[in-house]
Amino acid sequence: MALLVNPWEALMGWLARMDPSRREIFLASLALLVLFAIGTTGYALLEGWSVMDGLYMTFITLSTIGFQEIHTLSDAGRLFTLGLGITGIGLLTFVVARSAQLLLASERLRERQNMKQINELSDHYIICGYGRVGQRLAEDLMAADKPFVVVDISDEEIADLRDKEHLYVQGNAEEEEILKQAGLDRARCLILTLPEDSSNVFVALTAREMNPDLFILARTVDHDNRSKLLHAGADKVIAPSEVGADRMAQVVLRPNVDDFMERVLHANALSLQIDEVEVHPSAPLAGQSLAESNFRQQFDAVVIGIIDAETGNITFNPTPSARIEAGDILIVLGDSEVIHALREKVCTP
């Protein structure tokens, strides 16, 4: 007896823990399956049909397809069909309607969770435009474990963002409200990769007015529009076509140098990367020279440049006597774990 009671109790407990909407759909679907079995059996008993004929007749009745009867029905068979249709069509309509409601509720819940996560972000990146450039940027930011939000108006691109579980805001990036939803006032950087330069100019103007301290990086299709983007508020403008042309020239003219840089920048064979590390006030490294810190031997990394905190001047290949002051930015070549340790333990108080 216990063997019969325990599975039943387990089923009741599972149903009790289920979401009410899902429980309704599950029970209605179960009832629909039972109704299919009753219909198939009923036609077999009342009309003497085969199981396949009974199942097919039950299906076309419940689905309201409206094909003609397989065989001529008796009065009892017609009454049975009438009851089967009234019961089954109503049940099927309920299952479809509740499933649609549950799907809609799930979409709304996903949207609320998406916006909640965005509202909790700060010091994040905003990518306007999820084309080929925007997608590559999102991949790189994801690989670097940097928080970001994508703004795009296309349903297709938004669906792709949902599938990849990226944070997003659907809408026109030229509208202030959309930029507010993306957390522009709390963002670290705005990256403009919209297909039209005119749109990038307008968004740069709007964003600069909304957040004067924001760093704005813009893409331009036409080199002649670079100055317009800079005047609109962009801090840096990049033309991908020019970058591609420069890279191709580098491969042709200096193939070995290009191969070395590719290995370093993409951390392929050497497992190295070039990164920047800011020296915060009261950090252990602040006030020391490279020689005093024994940087190369202690951290197994190379300082290839120092950006002065006051003047912004860059010192390439600094000498051992070069001093590291608070606020300076070190351009470092080394293993990713070493650079992380520098950032967290040596250059931070």
Side-chain angles (χ1 to χ4, degrees):
M1 185 66 181
L3 293 177
L4 297 176
V5 173
N6 290 338
W8 177 255
E9 291 179 350
L11 177 60
M12 291 298 101
W14 178 69
L15 288 174
R17 293 189 298 271
M18 188 181 292
D19 177 78
S21 298
R22 295 180 183 273
R23 183 168 59 245
E24 290 178 1
I25 295 174
F26 173 78
L27 293 176
S29 299
L30 185 61
L32 197 60
L33 289 175
V34 172
L35 199 60
F36 263 91
I38 292 174
T40 303
T41 305
Y43 284 119
L45 295 177
L46 292 174
E47 302 295 334
W49 293 358
S50 67
V51 173
M52 181 57 66
D53 285 347
L55 178 62
Y56 181 73
M57 186 64 186
T58 303
F59 172 75
I60 64 175
T61 300
L62 298 184
S63 62
T64 67
I65 291 178
F67 292 156
Q68 67 181 11
E69 299 166 356
I70 300 176
H71 306 291
T72 302
L73 288 170
S74 64
D75 290 340
R78 290 176 180 175
L79 289 174
F80 179 76
T81 301
L82 182 62
L84 185 66
I86 292 174
T87 305
I89 293 172
L91 192 59
L92 183 61
T93 303
F94 174 81
V95 171
V96 172
R98 292 298 289 167
S99 298
Q101 290 176 359
L102 183 61
L103 179 62
L104 182 60
S106 299
E107 289 295 328
R108 289 177 177 174
L109 178 61
R110 182 188 296 181
E111 292 292 336
R112 287 198 296 268
Q113 291 176 338
N114 177 70
M115 290 308 303
K116 180 180 178 181
Q117 288 180 289
I118 292 176
N119 292 333
E120 293 174 351
L121 287 181
S122 61
D123 202 32
H124 59 287
Y125 298 79
I126 300 176
I127 303 173
C128 292
Y130 195 61
R132 285 178 295 180
V133 176
Q135 291 177 20
R136 179 58 184 270
L137 283 167
E139 291 175 2
D140 291 343
L141 290 174
M142 190 75 176
D145 198 25
K146 299 295 183 181
F148 65 92
V149 178
V150 179
V151 177
D152 201 284
I153 199 171
S154 168
D155 291 334
E156 182 179 349
E157 304 299 353
I158 293 298
D160 185 52
L161 288 165
R162 286 198 193 102
D163 293 340
K164 295 179 179 177
E165 298 184 349
H166 294 329
L167 297 180
Y168 62 88
V169 174
Q170 183 171 14
N172 189 346
E174 298 180 21
E175 299 178 7
E176 287 189 21
E177 182 59 32
I178 298 299
L179 294 177
K180 287 180 181 178
Q181 291 180 24
L184 187 77
D185 57 325
R186 309 181 307 276
R188 177 179 185 178
C189 176
L190 175 67
I191 307 174
L192 303 177
T193 63
L194 298 171
E196 300 292 336
D197 284 349
S198 58
S199 299
N200 287 327
V201 169
F202 189 87
V203 176
L205 281 168
T206 304
R208 180 57 68 206
E209 182 179 353
M210 295 174 62
N211 188 347
D213 299 326
L214 182 69
F215 182 86
I216 300 177
L217 171 63
R219 181 193 76 164
T220 180
V221 178
D222 189 345
H223 176 81
D224 294 337
N225 293 327
R226 183 189 299 270
S227 60
K228 297 175 184 175
L229 282 161
L230 292 172
H231 288 140
D235 296 283
K236 193 173 185 61
V237 179
I238 294 177
S241 59
E242 294 182 6
V243 173
D246 291 343
R247 173 67 189 281
M248 293 177 72
Q250 177 81 0
V251 172
V252 173
L253 299 175
R254 291 172 287 275
N256 293 317
V257 174
D258 177 78
D259 182 61
F260 173 79
M261 293 303 298
E262 183 176 12
R263 289 169 180 256
V264 171
L265 292 176
H266 292 85
N268 289 336
L270 300 180
S271 298
L272 300 175
Q273 68 181 49
I274 297 177
D275 209 336
E276 59 181 69
V277 180
E278 182 178 355
V279 182
H280 293 273
S282 303
L285 203 60
Q288 296 185 12
S289 67
L290 289 175
E292 291 171 345
S293 67
N294 198 22
F295 194 95
R296 177 67 179 86
Q297 290 73 22
Q298 183 177 354
F299 305 114
D300 194 23
V302 179
V303 177
I304 59 178
I306 300 177
I307 302 178
D308 188 272
E310 297 182 358
T311 64
N313 293 332
I314 302 177
T315 302
F316 292 101
N317 191 23
T319 62
S321 61
R323 303 200 70 81
I324 303 171
E325 304 295 344
D328 288 352
I329 296 177
L330 307 181
I331 309 300
V332 181
L333 171 63
D335 185 88
S336 59
E337 295 182 0
V338 171
I339 293 176
H340 178 75
L342 279 172
R343 185 177 285 116
E344 297 296 327
K345 299 178 181 178
V346 182
C347 295
T348 303

